[in-house]
Amino acid sequence: MKIGVPRALLYYYYFPLWQKLLLCLGHEVVVSPETNKEIVDLGVKKSVPEICVPIKIFNGHVENLLKKNVDYLFVPRMVSVEKGCTFCPKFLGLPDMVRSTFPELEGKLISPKIEMNSEIIAEPHCYQELKDVLNLSDKELRKALKVAKKHWLKFRSISKKGYLISEALDLVDQKTVPPFENQGDITIGLIGYVYDIYDEFVSMNVAKRMRGLGVNVVTFEMLEERIIDREVKQMSKVLFWTFSNKIFGAGMHFYRNKRVDGIIHITAFGCGPDSLLGKMLELDSEKFNKPFMTVRVDEHTGETHLQTRIEAFIDMLRKKKKKG
Amino acid sequence: MKVSFPYMGTPIGYKKIAALLGHEVIDPPKPTQRTIDLGVKYSPEFACFPMKVLLGSYIEAIELGADTLISSGGHGPCRAGFYGEVQSKILRSMGYDVDLIIFDSIKRDFLGFYRKVKKIKGKHSWRDVWYTLKFSYHTIKILDFLEQQIETVRAYEVHKGQSTKVWEMIEKKIDGAYSDAELDRVKKEAQEMIDEIKLVQVPEEQKIRIGIVGEIYVVMESSVNMRVEERLGELGCEVRRSQYLSEWVDFNLIPARFSPSREPEILRKGEKYIEIIIGGHAKQNMGAIVDYKEQGFDGIVHLMPFGCLPELISQSIMPKVSEDLDIPVLTLSLDEQTGRANSLTRLEAFVDLIRTRKNGKCIIQVS
């Protein structure tokens, strides 16, 4: 069976797991191509105007997959991967939204409800719907999940070595992964959701661009979970969204860590959780005396503005470092 | 303590609690353009509209001398539960020294809830607190009961604007009532005032009923939704909201067994369109629309603040709901850009459309 997986949203975090799972069950996995102008335009046409860019892009990928005649479309309902936290409401309602936006998807949608208290989402109860739709036995599902889990943990360990997710997605299939070496003279903490930073169309490849300018880039998924947890625990009231918490925790860690020279926050136009956590981090910038810059991206493309702003920010950091 | 709280609909209910517990109440200013401007200036750009208006209201209340602000919190997934954290950080960075007490769900954080209640309770006994809460609940029940009548008669009043004036008078009267006996007397007077409003007789089949659904703050607070209820009333429509303060209390604060709330039923009705609770009142709104259709309503006005997370999902699903149920829906997204003429034109056109639909036969003959 051909199962489509849109290259959007949490694809950038969980794809190795889902890919292995579906492959082990003997299905063909069809992934939409990397985001391009055409996909964005399709998505914008299918979405309500105010919704955030990542969701618009998601709709574009769904439309693209529909044209490829997939038998099923894999759109999990991400509810929670941490006790007490959920995902942004748009993730919770995503299958409902897709179903009403694309009526032709009726009966083709597989949307297992992922509700767990751990980030390793490889428990059979999360994939009940997949089991029903594909007529699987308990044993088959459990066996496939075991393989998928191992694969995903390997992917995460590659990330933690310091590789960007775009690199880790390629490296995960190789047998040995060389250790990563940083070569830049300054270090910037790059915070933002995986689907903003690693979608090369949206972020205009900001991470690699920065590396090209001789900067070491650290992101939240390169940090150990306990580092982030420690920062998050210090808040009087934690945010409600798992990934926002990770970003906030990473941001605070970057503020405290002496090796990090500055922080860049990539956020998408219309992102709700970011509007709050961005402001919180911004207000703390003065306290820690560390430069903080927000880059807001959307479906429009203007590469030069991004290049100029990043260059200026890096120049400023270098000057500051020389002085101090 | 000099206590204040933001507007969300009439604040008489909470005012009573604070006043009866011996606090000096700073009458919260009703949001105006200045409130909105202040809020917008100091809030994050993409924060939702309610947060900006609330922040503006807090600043204005502080300027009037308030030192304690009380509001409600939440536990996600909607952003509203986190307003308090960000707002107090912003207020501190602006140099205001003020106590922002945010009530979160009692089930999640009992100790925190208890501490906050104790702070507000002061030296009064728990019996006083119980009486105060009961009295305040009674007050908002009466207010909502009367307001629903106003929402109906406004459509048919002979002298335009009379019911709105009557409602303002009623609010003032209830505001001044501080004992059960007084409250009952005022209720009777108010009822008489409403009954005295002269009405045009409209045949049953020509009556238009519109349900307002959406995000709770913009639905309940008329000063930020361009007084959409009054406008619809002026256009000759009866109006009902999906949110009333007393109903919110029924569902959220009173144990399910004793609660007269219809919300569980409404949630069941919304299941078809949004399977799980995704925050805010998105699922309830879906249920409310189904419910309104079953009650024979003619149209739905859907209000949302710009960029509201749950309501954007509702908005995406709205075309399907509208088609399935065969009921017209108008979505209005509200923020600090008050292009009033634009929205009013859309409202008028919407009502025209409903009227045409309703008297379909005559139109065919005319054309």
Side-chain angles (χ1 to χ4, degrees), chain A residues 50-51 77 86-87 89-90 92 96-97 99-100 236-241 269-270 272 275-276 279 284 296, chain B residues 44-47 74 76-79 81-82 85 89 104 273-275 278 304 306-307 309 316-317 320 333:
Chain A
E50 276 169 42
I51 211 157
R77 187 192 293 275
T86 62
F87 279 84
K90 290 173 196 161
L92 302 188
D96 302 319
M97 194 193 75
R99 204 171 292 135
S100 61
S236 54
K237 183 175 183 182
V238 297
L239 290 156
F240 319 126
W241 316 284
F269 181 92
S275 65
L276 301 184
K279 184 78 181 175
D284 276 338
R296 188 162 286 125
Chain B
E45 188 183 357
F46 281 93
C78 158
R79 275 182 283 182
F82 212 72
E85 293 293 306
K89 213 164 176 170
D104 286 325
Y273 298 102
I274 299 181
E275 273 179 44
I278 64 166
M304 59 183 268
F306 176 83
L309 309 176
S316 307
I317 301 174
K320 188 174 174 215
S333 173

Side-chain angles (χ1 to χ4, degrees), chain B residues 119-130:
Chain B
K119 206 165 172 184
I120 294 173
K121 174 175 96 90
K123 289 200 177 92
H124 289 265
S125 70
W126 286 107
R127 224 181 118 215
D128 284 351
V129 176
W130 172 245

Side-chain angles (χ1 to χ4, degrees), chain B residues 4-6 54 58 69-73 87 100-104:
Chain B
S4 192
F5 21 73
L54 290 185
Y58 293 155
L69 300 165
I70 303 174
S71 186
S72 69
Q87 282 161 339
L100 191 57
I101 300 179
I102 305 285
F103 279 99
D104 286 325

Side-chain angles (χ1 to χ4, degrees), chain A residues 294-314:
Chain A
T294 307
V295 175
R296 188 162 286 125
V297 290
D298 61 10
E299 62 261 47
H300 303 282
T301 47
E303 291 203 0
T304 30
H305 98 274
L306 187 84
Q307 185 78 19
T308 316
R309 287 188 66 191
I310 287 176
E311 275 175 21
F313 190 72
I314 293 171

